[in-house]
């Protein structure tokens, strides 16, 4: 790049360093041997406002597949959702979406 006769070099991200703005974060609930399936369904309804059918489907994914993505969005929201799930005794993590 040239500004008023001066050359300025700019580093550009390559490959995995590419910054993807607006990429959603995923909140994942993992299966555990402690919480009852009915309780997990209740928590999904309470925290996310899911109807019973959606909450049960997510709970069954957790139970049979070992995990389910229960919410996605900006990092701050994912952090908040993860914290709330922890406060209700569920094992949850968050990760950047692809």
């Amino acid at each position: 790049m040239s500004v008023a006769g001066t050359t300025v070099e700019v580093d550009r991200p390559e490959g995995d360093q590419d910054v993807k703005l607006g990429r959603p974060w995923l909140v994942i609930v993992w299966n555990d041997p402690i919480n009852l399936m009915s309780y997990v369904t209740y928590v999904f309804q309470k925290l996310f406002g899911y109807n019973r059918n959606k909450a049960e489907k997510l709970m069954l994914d957790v139970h049979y597949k070992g995990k389910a993505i229960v919410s996605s969005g900006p990092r701050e929201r994912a952090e908040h959702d993860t914290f709330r799930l922890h406060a209700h005794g569920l094992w949850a993590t968050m990760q950047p979406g692809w």
Side-chain angles (χ1 to χ4, degrees):
M1 177 193 314
S2 180
V3 177
T6 308
T7 301
V8 178
E9 291 191 27
V10 178
D11 291 333
R12 293 182 185 259
E14 295 179 20
D16 291 339
Q17 296 175 346
D18 190 17
V19 177
K20 296 179 182 175
L21 298 176
R23 178 173 63 176
W25 284 73
L26 307 176
V27 177
I28 303 165
V29 172
W30 300 87
N31 194 22
D32 67 56
I34 298 169
N35 292 296
L36 297 174
M37 293 190 300
S38 59
Y39 177 71
V40 174
T41 301
Y42 164 77
V43 171
F44 292 166
Q45 289 180 284
K46 178 182 175 187
L47 298 185
F48 303 110
Y50 295 146
N51 64 41
R52 185 165 185 83
N53 287 340
K54 179 165 181 148
E56 284 180 348
K57 184 205 174 303
L58 290 170
M59 174 276 298
L60 289 171
D61 284 348
V62 170
H63 183 71
Y64 290 114
K65 297 177 182 176
K67 65 181 178 178
I69 297 171
V70 297
S71 76
S72 66
R75 181 177 181 149
E76 293 78 18
R77 182 171 133 205
E79 289 171 346
H80 180 69
D81 288 347
T82 302
F83 174 80
R84 294 188 315 154
L85 288 161
H86 290 170
H88 283 80
L90 300 184
W91 180 25
T93 59
M94 55 182 267
Q95 69 182 41
W98 310 109

